[in-house]
Amino acid sequence: MKKLALHWKILLGMVLGVLFGILMSSFAEGKGLVQDWVKPFGTIFINSLKLIAVPLILGSLIKGVSDLKDISKLSKMGGKTILIYILTTVMAVSIGLFLVNTIKPGNSISEKTRTELVGSYSQNTQKYKDEAASQKQSGPLKALVDLVPDNIIGASSENKNMLQVIFFAIFFGVGLILIPESKSKPVKDFFDGFNEVILKMIDLIMLAAPYGVFALLASLIVESPSTDLFMALGWYAMTVVLGLFLMIVLYVFLVYIFTGKKPKFFINGISPAQLLAFSTSSSAATLPVTMERVSEHLGVEEEVSSFVLPIGATINMDGTSLYQAVAAVFIAQAFGMDLSFGVQLGIVATATLASIGSAAVPGAGMVMLVIVLAQAGIPEAGLALIFAVDRPLDMCRTVVNVTGDATVSMVVAKTEGKLGKPHVKDWDDDYEGKKI
Ligand code: ASP
């Protein structure tokens, strides 16, 4: 019998997880059973992915930068990458604003539903406001200061400080370029081998992906809030999902225009990373798989993917910025506020910056939304309105975040002459169970 491809296996795991979650929700003890006996496997799976993130960034980025052999190439590629990231984010916010102003989902929220939603979720939103407040209290150059760690072990010890790890890896790679080859060769060889080991570890982790996503989705279903509130927010959720879908269409189009690669090629190549992004709601946890897919299945040379993707996972969040724009205007509409054109332009700027500042973990987009709301003068209590559907939307926006990173890496690779043929190492064979 022909073995199923990885993305089908993951999809099957997701569907069975949802069904199992629904089934268990109908028993009184079901929720507890899933939380005690199924959820831990999901947590183990996510932890194993996160475990790989720091060594992966260190290994692949040091190797990638030192392979460039020339500092000017690095700064050219860096500038291009950041510029394209910002452009795609601005496009995403604009699409979001266009849709929310056309569909006007906030107008369908009745006074009664609004009071009910604000009442039932106001406690939860306080936590988000506090977190956002602490982020906001910093000076204008805080982001720059935060980029440079004072201790690399400290920076690597927390998965939150990915940008610091990236900084160290690039800096180290630059040092490696500048020393004589006789000295740099053993170090480069070491990181070469180190990188291969990490990639093999990702292969092994991915063998467990179908089971991991089963556990994640089953526990998500038993823990999700009641569906009534969910329905009330249907139009809002649909607006976000429609915008996110348009972004995926845009990416496929951009990849086709810039690289000539067909939609099927792109989607087939990146789909396991998308499914994982959906199940984990975290671009950071998905990063190892995104890197593996982009370099081995989409043909982006490691020199580019190892540089563009870790940076993208931390700063490029098109899905998040689109969602923040829709959510902000939706809340304003629900409170009967009319937002002027100037205020909406302000939302473009703040949502772009807020998405850059959002951590690549579940729920981070909502924390930063507080800042967008405050800037536009929209009541922060409105966060409670959208709380019920935030997790499913987080899952969808993370898919877009990850796809956006993959798209930009392909475009950058093409313009650098570094887009080759896919070179699936033993990845697929591993999944077909032939090797390992
Ligand atoms: N969960 C998203 C990510 O990791 C961030 C967010 O929008 O909350 O990409």
Side-chain angles (χ1 to χ4, degrees):
M1 193 181 74
K2 195 170 167 285
K3 292 262 167 139
L4 278 180
L6 175 67
H7 56 274
W8 290 119
K9 286 190 197 165
I10 298 183
L11 209 58
L12 195 65
M14 287 165 76
V15 173
L16 291 178
V18 170
L19 293 178
F20 185 70
I22 295 174
L23 184 75
M24 294 309 271
S25 309
S26 52
F27 299 111
E29 304 88 35
K31 184 173 173 187
L33 275 177
V34 171
Q35 281 174 326
D36 288 347
W37 296 99
V38 178
K39 193 178 176 183
F41 293 101
T43 311
I44 292 175
F45 176 64
I46 296 205
N47 284 354
S48 60
L49 280 169
K50 288 189 186 159
L51 168 75
I52 291 291
V54 169
L56 174 73
I57 293 180
L58 278 178
S60 67
L61 206 53
I62 290 175
K63 176 181 174 322
V65 171
S66 62
D67 278 348
L68 283 174
K69 298 190 183 75
D70 183 351
I71 310 272
S72 67
K73 267 199 208 161
L74 178 68
S75 56
K76 203 176 119 225
M77 190 160 84
K80 199 188 297 177
T81 304
I82 305 239
L83 185 75
I84 308 181
Y85 275 152
I86 294 181
L87 280 179
T88 53
T89 307
V90 171
M91 276 187 222
V93 181
S94 312
I95 292 181
L97 282 180
F98 172 75
L99 289 178
V100 73
N101 282 300
T102 318
I103 302 176
K104 297 194 174 36
N107 295 355
S108 64
I109 291 275
S110 67
E111 183 78 41
K112 184 172 155 279
T113 320
R114 190 175 76 203
T115 328
E116 207 179 291
L117 284 167
V118 172
S120 49
Y121 287 102
S122 54
Q123 269 181 352
N124 300 4
T125 54
Q126 192 53 42
K127 188 180 101 215
Y128 286 77
K129 284 188 222 160
D130 294 346
E131 266 182 60
S134 70
Q135 298 215 21
K136 229 179 126 186
Q137 261 167 16
S138 37
L141 292 182
K142 175 87 169 31
L144 207 62
V145 175
D146 280 349
L147 200 61
V148 186
D150 59 358
N151 181 316
I152 185 57
I153 310 280
S156 322
S157 71
E158 264 214 63
N159 278 338
K160 276 187 195 149
N161 292 333
M162 287 303 180
L163 277 180
Q164 300 191 338
V165 179
I166 292 173
F167 175 84
F168 176 80
I170 295 179
F171 201 10
F172 190 97
V174 169
L176 211 50
I177 296 177
L178 296 176
I179 60 174
E181 184 150 2
S182 60
K183 295 271 191 264
S184 65
K185 185 149 187 322
V187 184
K188 277 171 91 172
D189 287 346
F190 168 77
F191 278 106
D192 245 354
F194 183 82
N195 212 18
E196 285 296 318
V197 176
I198 300 290
L199 292 182
K200 181 49 92 185
M201 288 169 79
I202 301 173
D203 279 359
L204 295 173
I205 295 172
M206 285 305 282
L207 287 175
Y211 309 99
V213 297
F214 172 88
L216 286 172
L217 287 185
S219 46
L220 211 63
I221 293 285
V222 296
E223 287 170 358
S224 70
S226 81
T227 43
D228 301 352
L229 293 177
F230 206 86
M231 296 307 281
L233 297 173
W235 279 109
Y236 155 70
M238 251 185 52
T239 312
V240 176
V241 171
L242 177 65
L244 295 176
F245 175 74
L246 289 180
M247 281 310 288
I248 300 278
V249 175
L250 179 71
Y251 294 141
V252 168
F253 180 72
L254 289 177
V255 166
Y256 184 67
I257 294 288
F258 283 97
T259 70
K261 301 282 183 204
K262 299 248 165 63
K264 186 162 179 254
F265 169 85
F266 178 60
I267 295 292
N268 269 353
I270 196 66
S271 55
Q274 290 176 320
L275 294 174
L276 218 59
F278 185 81
S279 313
T280 60
S281 273
S282 165
S283 334
T286 314
L287 179 66
V289 180
T290 317
M291 285 181 70
E292 177 109 43
R293 298 305 293 186
V294 165
S295 57
E296 295 189 2
H297 287 252
L298 296 178
V300 174
E301 286 185 21
E302 259 179 67
E303 253 171 74
V304 175
S305 62
S306 67
F307 179 78
V308 176
L309 292 172
I311 296 183
T314 24
I315 70 163
N316 181 49
M317 301 206 177
D318 300 345
T320 301
S321 65
L322 183 144
Y323 142 84
Q324 285 169 338
V326 175
V329 178
F330 167 76
I331 294 172
Q333 289 169 350
F335 280 96
M337 290 169 69
D338 228 352
L339 297 180
S340 68
F341 185 68
V343 172
Q344 303 228 11
L345 266 189
I347 292 180
V348 175
T350 44
T352 302
L353 292 176
S355 70
I356 292 176
S358 301
V361 294
M366 193 157 183
V367 174
M368 297 306 273
L369 176 61
V370 178
I371 293 175
V372 181
L373 294 179
Q375 204 74 28
I378 301 167
E380 287 166 19
L383 271 192
L385 275 184
I386 55 169
F387 207 91
V389 283
D390 198 64
R391 182 61 195 236
L393 293 183
D394 191 1
M395 296 159 82
C396 300
R397 66 189 187 242
T398 308
V399 173
V400 171
N401 291 346
V402 165
T403 316
D405 299 341
T407 305
V408 174
S409 74
M410 284 190 80
V411 173
V412 172
K414 179 71 186 179
T415 58
E416 296 281 319
K418 302 268 180 223
L419 187 64
K421 288 219 169 343
H423 49 285
V424 182
K425 290 187 183 154
D426 31 18
W427 172 259
D428 262 356
D429 284 351
D430 292 350
Y431 287 123
E432 308 306 336
K434 290 179 204 144
K435 259 201 209 144
I436 290 197

